[in-house]
Amino acid sequence: MTQRAREKDELVALSLLADEVEAEAYRSNASSYIYAILFLSFLMLPGTTSTIINFFKCHEFDVPGGKKEYYMYSDYTISCESDRYQSYVGYAILMIFVYPIGIPLTWSVMLHRSRNTLLDDGAMKREAMFGKPKTGHLSFLVESYLPKYYYFEVLECVRRILLTSAIGLADKDSETPPLLGILISLVYVFIFSELKPYNELENSVLAIILMYTITVIFLAALVVKPNTVSSDDPAFAALLMTTLFGGLGMGLLVSVYGTDPFNAKAKRIAAEKAAQLAALRTKVKSMWQVVNGGSNKGEIERLACWD
Protein backbone atom coordinates (compact mmCIF):
# COMPACT_ATOMS: atom_id res chain seq x y z
CA MET A 1 0.00 0.00 0.00
CA THR A 2 1.43 3.38 -0.99
CA GLN A 3 1.86 6.30 1.41
CA ARG A 4 -0.94 8.21 -0.31
CA ALA A 5 -3.35 5.27 0.04
CA ARG A 6 -2.58 4.93 3.74
CA GLU A 7 -3.17 8.65 4.30
CA LYS A 8 -6.46 8.38 2.42
CA ASP A 9 -7.61 5.47 4.62
CA GLU A 10 -6.64 7.38 7.76
CA LEU A 11 -8.64 10.42 6.64
CA VAL A 12 -11.67 8.24 5.93
CA ALA A 13 -11.38 6.62 9.37
CA LEU A 14 -11.06 10.00 11.07
CA SER A 15 -14.06 11.31 9.15
CA LEU A 16 -16.18 8.33 10.22
CA LEU A 17 -15.07 8.76 13.83
CA ALA A 18 -15.94 12.47 13.75
CA ASP A 19 -19.38 11.66 12.34
CA GLU A 20 -19.96 9.09 15.09
CA VAL A 21 -18.91 11.53 17.83
CA GLU A 22 -21.16 14.22 16.35
CA ALA A 23 -24.09 11.80 16.19
CA GLU A 24 -23.51 10.73 19.79
CA ALA A 25 -23.42 14.39 20.89
CA TYR A 26 -26.67 15.10 19.04
CA ARG A 27 -28.36 12.10 20.65
CA SER A 28 -27.04 13.20 24.05
CA ASN A 29 -28.56 16.68 23.64
CA ALA A 30 -31.88 15.21 22.50
CA SER A 31 -31.78 12.81 25.44
CA SER A 32 -31.43 15.70 27.90
CA TYR A 33 -34.61 17.33 26.58
CA ILE A 34 -36.53 14.05 26.75
CA TYR A 35 -35.22 13.55 30.28
CA ALA A 36 -36.66 16.91 31.35
CA ILE A 37 -40.07 16.06 29.85
CA LEU A 38 -40.17 12.61 31.44
CA PHE A 39 -39.06 13.91 34.82
CA LEU A 40 -41.75 16.61 34.69
CA SER A 41 -44.35 13.93 33.93
CA PHE A 42 -43.03 11.93 36.90
CA LEU A 43 -43.61 14.90 39.21
CA MET A 44 -47.02 15.81 37.81
CA LEU A 45 -48.52 12.32 37.62
CA PRO A 46 -49.70 11.70 41.24
CA GLY A 47 -51.33 15.08 41.82
CA THR A 48 -52.86 15.33 38.37
CA THR A 49 -54.27 11.82 38.60
CA SER A 50 -55.87 12.57 41.97
CA THR A 51 -57.47 15.70 40.54
CA ILE A 52 -58.87 13.80 37.55
CA ILE A 53 -60.24 10.98 39.71
CA ASN A 54 -61.81 13.42 42.17
CA PHE A 55 -63.68 15.01 39.27
CA PHE A 56 -65.84 11.89 39.02
CA LYS A 57 -66.63 11.73 42.76
CA CYS A 58 -70.05 13.17 43.47
CA HIS A 59 -71.76 13.45 46.86
CA GLU A 60 -75.42 12.51 47.06
CA PHE A 61 -77.80 14.78 48.99
CA ASP A 62 -81.47 14.23 49.84
CA VAL A 63 -83.66 17.21 49.04
CA PRO A 64 -87.33 17.91 49.84
CA GLY A 65 -89.78 16.03 47.68
CA GLY A 66 -87.90 12.74 47.85
CA LYS A 67 -85.41 13.85 45.22
CA LYS A 68 -81.65 13.56 45.23
CA GLU A 69 -78.99 15.97 44.04
CA TYR A 70 -75.32 15.33 43.39
CA TYR A 71 -72.43 17.72 43.96
CA MET A 72 -68.69 17.35 43.49
CA TYR A 73 -66.77 16.22 46.56
CA SER A 74 -63.98 18.66 45.79
CA ASP A 75 -66.30 21.64 45.16
CA TYR A 76 -69.86 21.64 46.53
CA THR A 77 -70.73 24.70 44.46
CA ILE A 78 -70.72 22.58 41.30
CA SER A 79 -73.61 20.22 40.64
CA CYS A 80 -72.73 16.98 38.89
CA GLU A 81 -75.95 17.36 36.91
CA SER A 82 -75.23 20.86 35.68
CA ASP A 83 -74.31 21.70 32.08
CA ARG A 84 -71.02 23.14 33.30
CA TYR A 85 -70.01 19.82 34.85
CA GLN A 86 -71.23 17.71 31.95
CA SER A 87 -69.27 19.80 29.45
CA TYR A 88 -66.01 18.70 31.11
CA VAL A 89 -66.76 14.99 31.42
CA GLY A 90 -65.34 14.15 27.99
CA TYR A 91 -62.20 16.17 28.68
CA ALA A 92 -61.71 14.42 32.04
CA ILE A 93 -62.05 11.00 30.39
CA LEU A 94 -59.46 12.03 27.78
CA MET A 95 -57.07 13.11 30.54
CA ILE A 96 -57.39 9.67 32.15
CA PHE A 97 -55.91 8.19 28.98
CA VAL A 98 -53.23 10.90 28.90
CA TYR A 99 -52.03 10.79 32.54
CA PRO A 100 -52.73 7.65 34.66
CA ILE A 101 -52.76 5.40 31.58
CA GLY A 102 -50.65 7.23 29.01
CA ILE A 103 -47.63 8.18 31.10
CA PRO A 104 -46.88 4.71 32.57
CA LEU A 105 -47.53 3.20 29.13
CA THR A 106 -45.07 5.64 27.55
CA TRP A 107 -42.43 4.75 30.14
CA SER A 108 -43.02 1.05 29.48
CA VAL A 109 -42.57 1.45 25.73
CA MET A 110 -39.38 3.51 26.08
CA LEU A 111 -37.88 1.10 28.62
CA HIS A 112 -38.78 -1.89 26.46
CA ARG A 113 -37.11 -0.34 23.41
CA SER A 114 -33.90 0.20 25.40
CA ARG A 115 -33.98 -3.12 27.24
CA ASN A 116 -31.04 -4.64 25.31
CA THR A 117 -28.79 -1.74 26.31
CA LEU A 118 -30.06 -1.61 29.90
CA LEU A 119 -29.41 -5.33 30.39
CA ASP A 120 -25.92 -5.27 28.83
CA ASP A 121 -23.12 -4.17 31.17
CA GLY A 122 -20.76 -3.53 28.25
CA ALA A 123 -23.30 -1.38 26.45
CA MET A 124 -24.00 0.62 29.60
CA LYS A 125 -20.27 1.26 30.11
CA ARG A 126 -20.05 2.54 26.55
CA GLU A 127 -23.11 4.69 27.23
CA ALA A 128 -21.37 6.20 30.26
CA MET A 129 -18.28 7.00 28.18
CA PHE A 130 -20.34 9.00 25.67
CA GLY A 131 -22.62 10.70 28.19
CA LYS A 132 -25.48 8.17 27.97
CA PRO A 133 -26.91 9.39 24.63
CA LYS A 134 -29.34 6.47 24.31
CA THR A 135 -30.41 5.86 27.91
CA GLY A 136 -29.70 9.11 29.75
CA HIS A 137 -33.34 10.19 29.56
CA LEU A 138 -34.32 6.99 31.39
CA SER A 139 -31.80 7.35 34.21
CA PHE A 140 -34.26 8.40 36.90
CA LEU A 141 -36.44 5.40 36.05
CA VAL A 142 -33.74 2.72 36.30
CA GLU A 143 -30.84 3.96 38.42
CA SER A 144 -32.31 2.76 41.73
CA TYR A 145 -32.95 -0.81 40.57
CA LEU A 146 -30.99 -3.88 39.60
CA PRO A 147 -30.48 -4.11 35.80
CA LYS A 148 -32.82 -7.09 35.43
CA TYR A 149 -35.60 -5.07 37.10
CA TYR A 150 -35.21 -2.01 34.87
CA TYR A 151 -39.00 -1.89 34.48
CA PHE A 152 -39.84 -1.74 38.19
CA GLU A 153 -40.49 2.01 38.34
CA VAL A 154 -43.54 1.40 36.15
CA LEU A 155 -44.87 -1.04 38.76
CA GLU A 156 -44.17 1.54 41.46
CA CYS A 157 -46.06 4.13 39.44
CA VAL A 158 -49.06 1.80 39.17
CA ARG A 159 -48.94 1.22 42.95
CA ARG A 160 -48.97 4.94 43.69
CA ILE A 161 -51.86 5.53 41.31
CA LEU A 162 -53.89 2.68 42.80
CA LEU A 163 -53.30 3.67 46.43
CA THR A 164 -53.68 7.44 46.03
CA SER A 165 -56.38 7.74 43.40
CA ALA A 166 -58.11 4.60 42.18
CA ILE A 167 -59.46 3.46 45.56
CA GLY A 168 -60.81 6.97 46.04
CA LEU A 169 -63.53 6.25 43.50
CA ALA A 170 -65.30 4.01 46.02
CA ASP A 171 -67.69 5.41 48.59
CA LYS A 172 -65.61 6.71 51.48
CA ASP A 173 -68.24 5.59 54.00
CA SER A 174 -68.09 1.95 52.87
CA GLU A 175 -65.56 -0.76 53.66
CA THR A 176 -64.43 -0.95 50.04
CA PRO A 177 -61.54 1.61 50.12
CA PRO A 178 -59.65 0.06 53.08
CA LEU A 179 -60.24 -3.45 51.77
CA LEU A 180 -58.83 -2.49 48.36
CA GLY A 181 -55.93 -0.75 50.09
CA ILE A 182 -55.12 -3.87 52.12
CA LEU A 183 -55.31 -6.08 49.04
CA ILE A 184 -53.07 -3.83 46.93
CA SER A 185 -50.56 -3.40 49.76
CA LEU A 186 -50.29 -7.15 50.40
CA VAL A 187 -49.77 -7.80 46.69
CA TYR A 188 -46.85 -5.37 46.69
CA VAL A 189 -45.50 -6.83 49.93
CA PHE A 190 -45.26 -10.13 48.07
CA ILE A 191 -43.65 -8.47 45.03
CA PHE A 192 -41.02 -6.63 47.09
CA SER A 193 -40.32 -9.73 49.20
CA GLU A 194 -39.83 -11.99 46.19
CA LEU A 195 -37.93 -9.67 43.84
CA LYS A 196 -35.99 -7.33 46.14
CA PRO A 197 -35.51 -5.07 43.11
CA TYR A 198 -33.35 -2.28 44.51
CA ASN A 199 -29.59 -2.00 44.06
CA GLU A 200 -29.18 -1.95 47.82
CA LEU A 201 -30.77 -4.75 49.86
CA GLU A 202 -31.48 -2.28 52.66
CA ASN A 203 -33.76 -0.30 50.34
CA SER A 204 -35.75 -3.42 49.51
CA VAL A 205 -36.13 -4.24 53.21
CA LEU A 206 -37.26 -0.67 53.88
CA ALA A 207 -39.82 -0.95 51.05
CA ILE A 208 -41.22 -4.14 52.60
CA ILE A 209 -41.53 -2.46 56.00
CA LEU A 210 -43.26 0.56 54.48
CA MET A 211 -45.74 -1.62 52.59
CA TYR A 212 -46.61 -3.44 55.82
CA THR A 213 -47.03 -0.06 57.50
CA ILE A 214 -49.46 1.05 54.79
CA THR A 215 -51.30 -2.26 55.19
CA VAL A 216 -51.67 -1.63 58.93
CA ILE A 217 -52.99 1.89 58.25
CA PHE A 218 -55.68 0.54 55.91
CA LEU A 219 -56.45 -2.22 58.41
CA ALA A 220 -56.95 0.35 61.14
CA ALA A 221 -59.23 2.33 58.82
CA LEU A 222 -61.26 -0.83 58.23
CA VAL A 223 -61.54 -1.66 61.94
CA VAL A 224 -62.85 1.78 62.90
CA LYS A 225 -65.62 1.63 60.28
CA PRO A 226 -68.98 1.68 62.13
CA ASN A 227 -70.35 -1.46 60.47
CA THR A 228 -67.17 -3.54 60.58
CA VAL A 229 -67.17 -4.58 64.24
CA SER A 230 -70.17 -4.52 66.52
CA SER A 231 -69.77 -2.22 69.50
CA ASP A 232 -71.79 -4.72 71.56
CA ASP A 233 -68.98 -7.28 71.44
CA PRO A 234 -65.70 -5.59 72.50
CA ALA A 235 -64.03 -8.96 73.17
CA PHE A 236 -64.53 -10.00 69.56
CA ALA A 237 -63.19 -6.62 68.40
CA ALA A 238 -60.07 -7.03 70.54
CA LEU A 239 -59.55 -10.59 69.29
CA LEU A 240 -59.96 -9.48 65.68
CA MET A 241 -57.47 -6.65 66.01
CA THR A 242 -54.95 -8.82 67.87
CA THR A 243 -55.17 -11.57 65.27
CA LEU A 244 -54.86 -9.23 62.30
CA PHE A 245 -52.05 -7.07 63.68
CA GLY A 246 -50.24 -10.13 65.02
CA GLY A 247 -50.46 -11.83 61.63
CA LEU A 248 -49.09 -8.75 59.91
CA GLY A 249 -46.25 -8.56 62.43
CA MET A 250 -45.29 -12.18 61.84
CA GLY A 251 -45.46 -11.64 58.10
CA LEU A 252 -43.17 -8.62 58.42
CA LEU A 253 -40.61 -10.61 60.40
CA VAL A 254 -40.64 -13.42 57.85
CA SER A 255 -40.37 -11.04 54.88
CA VAL A 256 -37.52 -8.99 56.33
CA TYR A 257 -35.54 -11.55 58.29
CA GLY A 258 -36.69 -14.88 56.87
CA THR A 259 -34.34 -14.72 53.90
CA ASP A 260 -31.33 -13.42 55.84
CA PRO A 261 -29.83 -16.90 56.43
CA PHE A 262 -30.04 -17.56 52.70
CA ASN A 263 -28.50 -14.19 51.89
CA ALA A 264 -25.72 -14.80 54.41
CA LYS A 265 -25.11 -18.26 52.95
CA ALA A 266 -24.96 -16.87 49.42
CA LYS A 267 -22.47 -14.20 50.50
CA ARG A 268 -20.35 -16.79 52.30
CA ILE A 269 -20.29 -19.05 49.21
CA ALA A 270 -19.37 -16.10 47.00
CA ALA A 271 -16.54 -15.14 49.38
CA GLU A 272 -15.23 -18.72 49.39
CA LYS A 273 -15.27 -18.88 45.59
CA ALA A 274 -13.49 -15.53 45.39
CA ALA A 275 -10.80 -16.79 47.78
CA GLN A 276 -10.38 -19.99 45.73
CA LEU A 277 -10.09 -17.98 42.53
CA ALA A 278 -7.45 -15.73 44.11
CA ALA A 279 -5.49 -18.79 45.29
CA LEU A 280 -5.70 -20.33 41.83
CA ARG A 281 -4.39 -17.17 40.22
CA THR A 282 -1.51 -17.08 42.68
CA LYS A 283 -0.62 -20.71 41.90
CA VAL A 284 -0.77 -20.13 38.15
CA LYS A 285 1.43 -17.07 38.48
CA SER A 286 3.94 -19.01 40.61
CA MET A 287 3.96 -21.92 38.14
CA TRP A 288 4.59 -19.51 35.29
CA GLN A 289 7.52 -18.00 37.17
CA VAL A 290 8.92 -21.46 37.96
CA VAL A 291 8.64 -22.59 34.33
CA ASN A 292 10.31 -19.45 33.06
CA GLY A 293 12.97 -19.78 35.74
CA GLY A 294 13.85 -23.30 34.63
CA SER A 295 13.05 -25.01 37.94
CA ASN A 296 12.73 -28.78 38.14
CA LYS A 297 9.54 -30.75 37.44
CA GLY A 298 8.98 -31.58 41.14
CA GLU A 299 8.69 -27.94 42.08
CA ILE A 300 6.02 -27.37 39.39
CA GLU A 301 4.02 -30.42 40.57
CA ARG A 302 4.17 -29.18 44.17
CA LEU A 303 2.76 -25.82 43.20
CA ALA A 304 0.03 -27.39 41.10
CA CYS A 305 -1.32 -29.48 44.00
CA TRP A 306 -4.16 -28.18 46.16
CA ASP A 307 -3.80 -28.32 49.92
Side-chain angles (χ1 to χ4, degrees):
M1 182 180 292
T2 63
Q3 180 68 21
R4 179 171 294 181
R6 284 196 298 270
E7 291 177 354
K8 183 178 179 180
D9 290 342
E10 290 175 358
L11 288 174
V12 171
L14 289 173
S15 177
L16 292 174
L17 180 60
D19 291 341
E20 177 66 17
V21 172
E22 184 179 359
E24 294 285 358
Y26 175 80
R27 286 195 290 267
S28 181
N29 291 332
S31 179
S32 63
Y33 291 115
I34 298 175
Y35 175 89
I37 295 173
L38 291 178
F39 190 69
L40 181 62
S41 70
F42 177 83
L43 296 177
M44 293 177 58
L45 182 61
T48 305
T49 300
S50 296
T51 301
I52 296 171
I53 296 300
N54 286 333
F55 176 85
F56 294 97
K57 292 185 65 178
C58 295
H59 196 171
E60 178 184 305
F61 290 95
D62 295 325
V63 295
K67 297 181 180 180
K68 297 182 182 295
E69 292 184 356
Y70 299 88
Y71 290 86
M72 290 181 63
Y73 265 107
S74 55
D75 188 350
Y76 284 116
T77 65
I78 300 177
S79 171
C80 295
E81 299 170 331
S82 65
D83 294 337
R84 179 186 177 187
Y85 178 88
Q86 294 298 326
S87 64
Y88 283 97
V89 170
Y91 178 75
I93 293 174
L94 176 62
M95 289 301 102
I96 287 179
F97 287 96
V98 171
Y99 283 95
I101 295 177
I103 289 178
L105 185 61
T106 300
W107 294 353
S108 300
V109 171
M110 299 182 76
L111 288 169
H112 183 73
R113 292 180 61 182
S114 301
R115 67 189 184 283
N116 293 331
T117 302
L118 295 172
L119 292 171
D120 188 337
D121 291 338
M124 289 302 293
K125 290 179 181 178
R126 183 177 181 277
E127 278 281 292
M129 291 176 58
F130 286 95
K132 297 184 177 180
K134 297 179 181 178
T135 61
H137 57 291
L138 302 173
S139 296
F140 74 97
L141 294 175
V142 300
E143 61 188 359
S144 298
Y145 305 101
L146 296 171
K148 62 180 178 179
Y149 299 125
Y150 65 89
Y151 56 84
F152 200 83
E153 188 61 41
V154 177
L155 297 181
E156 265 289 274
C157 177
V158 172
R159 180 186 67 83
R160 290 194 296 269
I161 290 174
L162 291 175
L163 289 179
T164 60
S165 303
I167 63 176
L169 284 174
D171 184 3
K172 68 176 183 179
D173 295 326
S174 69
E175 292 78 17
T176 303
L179 284 174
L180 286 176
I182 292 171
L183 177 61
I184 295 169
S185 300
L186 290 178
V187 168
Y188 274 87
V189 165
F190 175 78
I191 292 174
F192 279 115
S193 301
E194 288 296 311
L195 299 184
K196 293 185 174 59
Y198 290 97
N199 288 323
E200 302 293 335
L201 179 61
E202 292 79 4
N203 292 337
S204 295
V205 172
L206 179 60
I208 296 171
I209 294 174
L210 290 177
M211 289 312 305
Y212 266 108
T213 302
I214 294 174
T215 304
V216 170
I217 292 173
F218 279 115
L219 179 59
L222 176 64
V223 170
V224 298
K225 288 290 181 179
N227 299 326
T228 303
V229 178
S230 173
S231 58
D232 297 332
D233 193 358
F236 174 75
L239 178 61
L240 176 62
M241 294 183 67
T242 302
T243 303
L244 292 176
F245 283 101
L248 287 174
M250 290 297 296
L252 175 61
L253 291 175
V254 171
S255 298
V256 175
Y257 298 106
T259 57
D260 271 0
F262 300 101
N263 292 331
K265 182 179 180 180
K267 292 179 180 178
R268 185 172 65 254
I269 293 174
E272 291 175 355
K273 289 184 177 180
Q276 291 177 358
L277 181 60
L280 177 61
R281 288 174 176 171
T282 301
K283 285 181 176 290
V284 171
K285 183 178 179 181
S286 300
M287 290 174 62
W288 180 258
Q289 291 174 349
V290 169
V291 170
N292 288 339
S295 300
N296 57 43
K297 182 178 179 181
E299 180 67 13
I300 297 176
E301 291 177 347
R302 185 187 68 79
L303 289 169
C305 293
W306 291 97
D307 296 333

